[in-house]
Amino acid sequence: MKKILFTFIAFLMLLHTNAQTSIFNDLLQKHVSDEGIVDYQSFKKDEAKLDSYIKYLEKTTPESSWSKDKERAFWINAYNAYTIKLILENYPLKSIMEIERKDKNAWKIPFAKIGNTNYSLDHIEHQILRKKLFDPKIHVGVNCASMSCPKLGNVAFTKENIDAELTKLMKAFINDPNRNKITEKRIQISEIFNWFKGDFTKNGSIIDYLNKYSENEIKSNAKISYLKYDWSLNGK
């Protein structure tokens, strides 16, 4: 009897989690274009729905029984939902760089509540996603609400789609000429590959990593430079 009850409770929790993720997915589908441009003005009108998803995050503590894929999906969704919430709270604005509270920038403010614990965006990205759940593709999952950032996907992550969606976003990012300019003998690439070089070179050079996703094969001795980062808001 106890086993049946436990299974039933676990089933209800799964339904609740899927329903909450579906809310976030619907918001992304409605307000984010396929190119990753966010209609923050229309998103503002749906802020109550975003708040309902955030209330779910506030009450949810990731469990040790969760798979790595489920954890990655949960934390990346949380990062993106709270980033959008931060933009909406300060909208209209031209850049996330304008946001500051008590001398802390947007990434240092401990405002993201998960399971009754407050986190900063930096903590989620660097201490949880990069340190505990490492995958270089995390860098195209989390979104900094800026034009040079890899585009915000308009699909919420789940344990079932996390690898496929991150791979899709990485391919789109590397082959986007507005964010990376790639030829056989010369590449001008995003500062992300410079700032987090160690993440991308654990199993080879930065060119080795790019060639996994690039539509144009890059020679191993290609000249590398980095593009200036555009921090303007990824909005309409």
Side-chain angles (χ1 to χ4, degrees):
M1 186 66 183
K2 285 184 179 179
K3 186 176 181 180
I4 294 173
L5 181 61
F6 178 79
T7 302
F8 181 66
I9 291 171
F11 176 69
L12 290 178
M13 289 176 66
L14 177 64
L15 286 180
H16 179 64
T17 299
N18 289 345
Q20 293 301 319
T21 304
S22 180
I23 289 172
F24 188 46
N25 184 76
D26 290 346
L27 288 170
L28 293 173
Q29 289 277 296
K30 184 176 180 180
H31 301 296
V32 183
S33 73
D34 290 340
E35 292 73 37
I37 301 300
V38 185
D39 187 344
Y40 288 107
Q41 193 169 0
S42 70
F43 216 131
K44 186 78 177 171
K45 296 174 185 177
D46 268 340
E47 196 166 3
K49 289 183 181 178
L50 179 63
D51 288 344
S52 71
Y53 178 67
I54 284 175
K55 285 178 182 176
Y56 153 73
L57 296 175
E58 291 176 348
K59 296 175 182 178
T60 304
T61 301
E63 300 174 10
S64 58
S65 61
W66 285 13
S67 66
K68 183 178 178 180
D69 285 346
K70 185 174 181 178
E71 276 200 86
R72 279 192 301 162
F74 175 86
W75 283 109
I76 295 174
N77 285 337
Y79 184 103
N80 291 338
Y82 273 112
T83 299
I84 292 168
K85 178 64 177 175
L86 189 63
I87 297 297
L88 295 180
E89 286 178 346
N90 290 275
Y91 193 79
L93 73 168
K94 293 181 179 180
S95 172
I96 193 172
M97 301 287 276
E98 297 173 20
I99 299 172
E100 188 176 286
R101 292 182 192 170
K102 297 181 180 179
D103 296 325
K104 295 181 184 292
N105 65 29
W107 297 278
K108 302 291 185 185
I109 304 166
F111 76 102
K113 192 174 182 181
I114 307 290
N116 293 315
T117 300
N118 288 333
Y119 299 91
S120 67
L121 295 175
D122 263 3
H123 186 96
I124 293 174
E125 180 179 5
H126 304 303
Q127 298 304 313
I128 297 174
L129 288 168
R130 290 182 62 222
K131 191 172 183 178
K132 182 183 175 186
L133 303 168
F134 178 75
D135 176 352
K137 296 192 297 296
I138 281 167
H139 292 292
V140 296
V142 296
N143 189 270
C144 68
S146 303
M147 291 305 295
S148 282
C149 188
K151 72 177 183 179
L152 174 63
N154 56 8
V155 174
F157 295 104
T158 66
K159 66 179 181 180
E160 290 82 13
N161 75 12
I162 183 77
D163 277 322
E165 287 299 321
L166 289 179
T167 298
K168 179 180 174 183
L169 287 169
M170 182 61 80
K171 285 180 179 177
F173 177 55
I174 288 174
N175 293 291
D176 182 347
N178 293 314
R179 292 174 169 91
N180 296 281
K181 302 180 187 300
I182 293 176
T183 63
E184 184 182 23
K185 297 180 180 179
R186 184 184 179 192
I187 57 174
Q188 294 172 282
I189 54 178
S190 169
E191 276 284 4
I192 288 173
F193 294 112
N194 189 25
W195 293 331
F196 303 105
K197 187 174 182 179
D199 289 2
F200 298 102
T201 57
K202 288 186 181 294
N203 297 304
S205 69
I206 195 71
I207 290 176
D208 290 334
Y209 190 85
L210 293 170
N211 272 331
K212 288 169 63 177
Y213 304 97
S214 176
E215 292 170 357
N216 299 318
E217 187 167 355
I218 310 161
K219 288 197 170 184
S220 60
N221 62 348
K223 185 178 289 187
I224 302 172
S225 60
Y226 298 94
L227 296 168
K228 183 178 179 181
Y229 212 79
D230 181 359
W231 288 103
S232 58
L233 193 67
N234 62 339
K236 295 178 72 174

